[in-house]
Amino acid sequence: MRSKRMRARGHDWRAWVPLVALCLGAACGSEHEGAQAPGTEAGGSRPASSSPSRPAPSEAVGGGWSHSLGGPEDDTATSVAVGRDGDVVTVVSGTPRQDEDRAPVPGERLAVTLSRYAADGVVRWAREFPRERLADLRVAAVPGGDGASFLSGNSFLYPANFGQGPTDDAFLVRFDADGRAQWQRRVGQKVWAVAADGAGGAVVAAEEWKGETQDPVLTHLGADGAVRWTRRFSGTEEGTALRAVGLTPSGRTVVAGPLVGTLEVDGVRFGAAGRRGFVLLAFDDAGKLAWGREVPGVNGRVTSLAVGADGAVVVTGDFTGQLAWGGTELGTSGPFVLGAGAEGEARWLKQPACGQMAGPGPSVAVGTAGSVAVTCGDLFSRYAVDGTPRDTRTIPATDCVSGTCTLATTGVAAEPEGGFVVSGWQRDGKGDAWDQDGFLRFVPPE
């Protein structure tokens, strides 16, 4: 079924410029500077197959419900999460047309809309908040309990207010199941990702600044907003960015991202001076290191992390150099998806396909049966629990009035009864006459 178009808000297109510039591999062809060849730790590695080709036009996602989200301004659904009873939570950011080529239009707004839907796509509620300068808006949803949800983001120049008074810097707001704000906390200078736990709390991946130093910070808050534990990772070099986070069913927190230089955690040393790579770290429910794994000698970013019911971890991003993991190598650039076991053991590595508008980078979700879904640009790819590729399909534009539309995904989440929900934006038109709306789509199971 298709819903009526809902009013929501989008995104300042200038904020996408750094991401588009970072887009890699077959999607965009650009490269990071300073990439280094990996070490030989993965001896006996075998080359992975080349990046999948774009599917034929007939191979398109269809059959699920869909919402178009937006007004006359530029709108982006920046994040999506699935919570209690399969309810879907998303946030849409809207920005008036502010570039030089397009004139303002009547009715455009500067606002954030937080919405919740039932598993069948029926709207439960939508809350609109005026905004000034907000960025990196992300949502998380409690899988059970009281059905709360969380909104994180960054406020700069002007404070944000979600009903709990003004907030500056990096914020986390907890909303009850009916969309009423319960509390908000400052969680750093910048916050990049949030995940909800089964007890009604949340963990955030953020950073704190001191002079020119930007230290990654990981914080777990309870349902009442009290800090359960927090870790600040000092001593790394510029370029370290632990910005993807997830929670396992056993209560472990997993964080991943690029590591430049060295990082010591609970007496365990990761990285090397002047060396680039990726790192995956898992912490127990008291905030102590449970395990850590390195992917040395590669440059890039980690854009998404998901955890399966068995505690296995899946990570996506893009890279330059040579990426070696689980006996497989990818080179020399492009998107990646890798699987790790519940104790961090290397399992599999693949290179998913990306659509033309791949700047936001790939996103990943793990279904209840362990199946993996990866979205990148306008493409949706699925993998079996062991990483075996299953299919790649196009997420088609809908209601394309101009006949020329582009689409990009920003997030994906798994439904407990099967299928996945995808968020993103669609641009209708070209030149200086385009309009951009957010979207929310349900991709049904096979």
Side-chain angles (χ1 to χ4, degrees):
M1 74 176 190
R2 179 168 180 81
S3 70
K4 293 182 179 179
R5 188 174 184 218
M6 289 185 60
R7 171 98 193 159
R9 313 293 167 232
H11 196 84
D12 188 338
W13 264 90
R14 293 171 297 183
W16 288 110
V17 173
L19 292 177
V20 174
L22 193 56
C23 177
L24 296 169
C28 298
S30 62
E31 296 185 357
H32 289 283
E33 295 180 0
Q36 300 178 16
T40 58
E41 290 84 349
S45 62
R46 61 187 184 281
S49 59
S50 60
S51 181
S53 60
R54 185 174 182 84
S58 60
E59 298 172 342
V61 168
W65 53 261
S66 178
H67 288 281
S68 178
L69 310 172
E73 63 284 328
D74 296 344
D75 305 290
T76 297
T78 62
S79 179
V80 64
V82 171
R84 188 183 66 184
D85 301 323
D87 278 10
V88 180
V89 178
T90 192
V91 59
V92 178
S93 179
T95 302
R97 302 180 180 186
Q98 298 176 352
D99 53 75
E100 297 179 355
D101 297 325
R102 297 182 304 145
V105 293
E108 63 183 13
R109 301 279 298 279
L110 183 64
V112 168
T113 301
L114 182 70
S115 303
R116 190 177 186 113
Y117 306 80
D120 61 1
V122 174
V123 180
R124 292 198 184 277
W125 50 259
R127 303 283 184 265
E128 182 180 279
F129 305 96
R131 74 176 182 91
E132 292 291 341
R133 300 284 290 181
L134 301 180
D136 309 299
L137 295 170
R138 301 290 184 266
V139 292
V142 176
D146 62 0
S149 57
F150 294 90
L151 173 67
S152 68
N154 297 310
S155 174
F156 51 101
L157 298 181
Y158 303 96
N161 194 326
F162 297 96
Q164 295 286 305
T167 179
D168 292 305
D169 301 333
F171 59 82
L172 177 70
V173 188
R174 190 183 199 268
F175 295 85
D176 67 18
D178 295 318
R180 294 183 292 264
Q182 296 180 300
W183 52 257
Q184 68 185 21
R185 299 288 185 270
R186 182 190 181 276
V187 291
Q189 189 69 40
K190 293 281 188 179
V191 61
W192 305 107
V194 58
D197 64 31
V203 61
V204 293
E207 64 184 39
E208 282 285 11
W209 298 356
K210 183 177 181 180
E212 298 297 320
T213 303
Q214 301 175 3
D215 292 335
V217 174
L218 194 62
T219 303
H220 197 165
L221 298 96
D224 60 356
V227 175
R228 293 183 55 192
W229 55 263
T230 186
R231 300 293 303 263
R232 181 167 180 165
F233 307 109
S234 302
T236 62
E237 298 177 25
E238 183 178 358
T240 298
L242 306 183
R243 298 180 180 179
V245 71
L247 283 159
T248 72
S250 66
R252 285 179 174 177
T253 297
V254 185
V255 66
L259 172 63
V260 182
T262 60
L263 173 64
E264 185 169 320
V265 184
D266 294 341
V268 181
R269 186 182 180 91
F270 301 95
R275 188 174 75 185
R276 295 177 178 269
F278 296 146
V279 66
L280 285 71
L281 304 172
F283 297 86
D284 64 21
D285 58 6
K288 299 299 182 182
L289 182 69
W291 56 260
R293 299 291 182 268
E294 286 185 70
V295 186
V298 64
N299 189 16
R301 59 177 177 165
V302 171
T303 55
S304 184
L305 183 154
V307 180
D310 61 351
V313 180
V314 183
V315 176
T316 61
D318 40 39
F319 75 100
T320 58
Q322 283 189 312
L323 176 58
W325 180 260
T328 300
E329 287 188 4
L330 297 179
T332 57
S333 64
F336 71 87
V337 52
L338 64 82
E343 298 300 324
E345 59 271 24
R347 288 187 171 175
W348 55 271
L349 173 67
K350 302 293 180 182
Q351 188 155 43
C354 281
Q356 180 181 4
M357 304 300 290
S363 298
V364 65
V366 180
T368 54
S371 62
V372 175
V374 176
T375 60
C376 191
D378 63 348
L379 298 185
F380 177 92
S381 301
R382 291 183 300 177
Y383 300 83
V385 65
D386 62 356
T388 301
R390 295 172 61 186
D391 61 5
T392 294
R393 293 180 285 168
T394 301
I395 302 174
T398 60
D399 297 335
C400 184
V401 177
S402 69
T404 303
C405 287
T406 53
L407 179 152
T409 56
T410 58
V412 60
E415 278 284 356
E417 299 301 322
F420 296 87
V421 184
V422 181
S423 63
W425 55 258
Q426 176 179 309
R427 181 189 286 190
D428 191 342
K430 58 184 179 179
D432 59 1
W434 51 269
D435 178 53
Q436 180 178 307
D437 289 330
F439 71 79
L440 193 65
R441 306 270 184 90
F442 175 63
V443 181
E446 290 179 295

